[in-house]
Every structure is written in C-alpha cells, then in structure tokens.
C-alpha cells in the first residue's frame, strides 16, 4: 500500500520534475514570518519522511512573467518550477509573491535594477525586467526581498495547486483511510492538530497575500483513522460528498456514509473554535 501511495502521488504531480524539486529542498524558508492568532493554537506536529520536496506554495511553468497588475507592466520573468505564493484566481489572474535572496548591501538599500538575476534559496530563479524597489526582511540568519505582482492562471502548474492535487489523489484513494493520506500530507507539508478531539486536523494556511493574518486553506478532517471530510476556503468539488457551510466563509465536504450526528458534532466544535480566532 505504501508503494501504491507513492505511485499515485507521482501520477498526481506528473508535472513536477524530481530534478527541479531537489534544487529547492525543504521550502519552509521561502515563507514570510507572518504570525497569526490561528497559529498560536496548540498544535501537535507529526514529523515524517518527505516524499520528494514538500510543495509549500504553488510552482510556476518556465518563462512565467510577473506583472504589476493584470495585463500590467512586466516586473520579472521566473524560471521553471520556482515556488510562489498564490492568492485565489480572479478573472484568470493570480496575485503572487516570491521571496528572493538578497545581500546585506541590498538589505540597506533595496533598489533593484533591471537585469538583476534572481535566486530563491540559492537556486537560479529568473531575472528582473525593470528597476524596482522591494520590501526587505530578515530573520537574523538570512535576508530576502518580497517580489509581488500578478501572473496568468495558466502559468501555475496544476499539479502543485493543492485543491487540484487533492481531488486527483482522492480518486485513487477511495477508501478515505487516514493512513492512505499520509503521502499527500507529507508532500504538501500539512500540519497536524488534535485540539478538536476526537478529531485530527491536517491543514495549511492561505497565502497571506490578501490577508496579513490568513486562516486555513485546506483542512483534512480525520476521526477514528478515517478521513471524514475536507474543509476549504477556495473552490473545491468532491463528487459524492455532502456540502455544509461553516463559520468564517468555510465549507466542509463530508464523505458519503458519515453519520449525521458526527457531522453535527464536528461542525459545532469547528464553528466554536474558528469564531474565537482573530
């Protein structure tokens, strides 16, 4: 079964070349250091071996162009498979951001010139196409600048969009067992939280582009070693599931066969929790 999980995941992410994944390794460092109230809730993280490099944020296709706005001026061109953070698509465009490596001199004078080569965690990532001033940050160990703009939806690799990958993955894992989801959980580096007992949540957060204090994007809800439902903030269609609206504009898809009493119990616990989060 373990080998079958890996094979299915490889089919889902067929566009993600292993040689390019290895260039970036674990991408946690490409995220900004934004802290949210939701992240302050106690969470028990389960450490597991990764399946390739974790997909933290979406990846772009070769020659992706970042613009100042939809159909705006070109800011930068990105190389293949560069990790970016994406807001939900609007009219075929994503607001995106990527943290690029900078020097100490650039940190003190963050004006970047046209033609500057871009790197992400030391890997070649593209080139600037115009002079631009960027916001900079440091965590005491490294320094980076945040390059943000817009790119067309077609430039984002579908296999690295978690909603798309989840739908495809569940087509291959129809029994919805928690153990069968572990390869997916590892590959998208979902966090584990057992605060809402007896339920276990595996989740990630929204990009933070539209909201500096992002809430959940995807939550896998497990109980009794079974995946009973999926909470989401972006559009998601799971055939055969029962849909219910939750507080704070979340929706949950319960899988067929989940008892109504269990659905009500979880919805009540989640709603009480999520409205308490600032």
């Amino acid at each position: 079964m373990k080998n079958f999980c890996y094979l299915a995941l490889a089919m889902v992410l067929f566009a993600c070349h292993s040689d390019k994944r290895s260039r970036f390794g674990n991408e946690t460092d490409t995220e900004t250091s934004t802290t949210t109230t939701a992240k302050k809730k106690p969470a028990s993280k389960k450490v597991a071996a990764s399946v390739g490099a974790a997909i933290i944020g979406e990846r772009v296709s070769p020659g992706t162009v970042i613009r100042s706005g939809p159909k705006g001026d070109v800011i930068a061109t990105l190389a293949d498979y560069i990790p970016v953070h994406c807001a939900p698509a609007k009219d075929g465009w994503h607001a995106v951001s990527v943290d690029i490596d900078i020097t100490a001199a650039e940190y003190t004078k963050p004006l970047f010139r046209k033609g500057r080569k871009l790197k992400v965690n030391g890997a070649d990532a593209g080139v600037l196409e115009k002079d631009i001033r960027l916001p900079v940050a440091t965590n005491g160990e490294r320094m980076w600048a945040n390059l943000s703009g817009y790119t067309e939806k077609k430039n984002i690799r579908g296999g690295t969009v978690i909603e798309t990958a989840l739908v495809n993955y569940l087509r291959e894992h129809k029994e919805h067992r928690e153990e069968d989801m572990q390869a997916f959980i590892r590959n998208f580096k979902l966090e584990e939280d057992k605060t809402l007992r007896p339920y276990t949540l595996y989740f990630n957060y929204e990009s933070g582009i539209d909201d500096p204090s992002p809430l959940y994007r995807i939550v896998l809800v497990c109980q009794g070693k079974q995946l009973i439902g999926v909470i989401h903030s972006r559009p998601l269609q799971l055939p055969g599931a029962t849909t219910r609206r939750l507080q704070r504009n979340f929706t949950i898809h319960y899988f067929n066969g989940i008892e109504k009493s269990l659905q009500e119990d979880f919805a009540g616990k989640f709603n009480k929790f999520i409205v308490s989060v600032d």
Side-chain angles (χ1 to χ4, degrees):
M1 181 59 70
K2 182 176 180 182
N3 290 335
F4 178 71
C5 291
Y6 290 179
L7 177 60
L9 187 62
M11 295 174 64
V12 172
L13 302 178
F14 67 92
C16 305
H17 305 301
S18 61
D19 59 330
K20 288 168 184 170
R21 283 200 303 267
S22 64
R23 291 163 49 201
F24 294 94
N26 188 316
E27 292 171 45
T28 301
D29 288 342
T30 69
E31 296 181 333
T32 59
S33 57
T34 301
T35 302
T36 70
T37 303
K39 293 181 181 180
K40 294 179 182 178
K41 294 295 291 183
S44 173
K45 296 183 181 179
K46 185 176 181 179
V47 179
S50 64
V51 182
I55 301 175
I56 307 300
E58 290 79 359
R59 305 298 189 97
V60 301
S61 299
T64 289
V65 172
I66 306 299
R67 297 178 180 271
S68 58
K71 300 181 181 180
D73 295 335
V74 176
I75 299 172
T77 301
L78 299 183
D80 189 19
Y81 215 72
I82 299 304
V84 298
H85 297 290
C86 279
K90 296 179 181 178
D91 300 323
W93 291 82
H94 286 285
V96 297
S97 71
V98 56
D99 294 332
I100 62 172
D101 302 345
I102 62 173
T103 65
E106 289 172 326
Y107 181 79
T108 60
K109 189 178 181 181
L111 177 61
F112 302 87
R113 298 296 184 181
K114 178 180 178 179
R116 183 195 187 277
K117 303 297 183 182
L118 306 179
K119 289 184 179 292
V120 173
N121 287 347
D124 292 337
V127 62
L128 282 179
E129 302 292 354
K130 65 177 297 186
D131 294 348
I132 190 170
R133 185 176 293 275
L134 299 175
V136 297
T138 181
N139 59 9
E141 296 180 359
R142 60 181 291 265
M143 292 168 284
W144 65 90
N146 181 257
L147 174 66
S148 60
Y150 291 80
T151 196
E152 292 182 82
K153 184 178 180 180
K154 67 181 182 180
N155 290 329
I156 303 300
R157 287 183 173 271
T160 66
V161 176
I162 191 170
E163 290 83 5
T164 301
L166 179 61
V167 172
N168 292 335
Y169 192 84
L170 288 174
R171 289 196 186 107
E172 303 294 332
H173 298 80
K174 298 179 180 180
E175 295 182 2
H176 301 151
R177 295 184 302 181
E178 184 176 6
E179 65 178 303
D180 293 340
M181 298 305 299
Q182 293 304 311
F184 183 89
I185 290 166
R186 290 192 294 269
N187 206 64
F188 282 90
K189 204 178 180 184
L190 301 185
E191 297 184 48
E192 179 182 318
D193 190 351
K194 294 186 176 182
T195 300
L196 301 182
R197 294 183 181 278
Y199 308 99
T200 300
L201 310 183
Y202 297 97
F203 64 92
N204 67 354
Y205 291 105
E206 260 297 351
S207 65
I209 294 174
D210 292 334
D211 185 346
S213 298
L215 294 174
Y216 298 129
R217 176 171 172 177
I218 283 285
V219 184
L220 307 183
V221 183
C222 295
Q223 191 272 335
K225 303 302 181 182
Q226 286 290 125
L227 176 66
I228 66 170
V230 177
I231 297 172
H232 55 96
S233 61
R234 300 193 188 190
L236 177 68
Q237 297 295 325
L238 292 177
T242 301
T243 302
R244 172 173 176 154
R245 296 289 292 176
L246 300 172
Q247 294 291 328
R248 303 290 289 271
N249 295 318
F250 287 103
T251 300
I252 186 169
H253 282 63
Y254 289 112
F255 295 108
N256 289 340
I258 304 303
E259 294 182 1
K260 189 68 174 180
S261 59
L262 190 64
Q263 295 182 28
E264 293 297 326
D265 180 67
F266 175 76
K269 285 182 169 66
F270 181 84
N271 283 336
K272 183 178 180 180
F273 161 71
I274 204 65
V275 297
S276 69
V277 175
D278 294 333

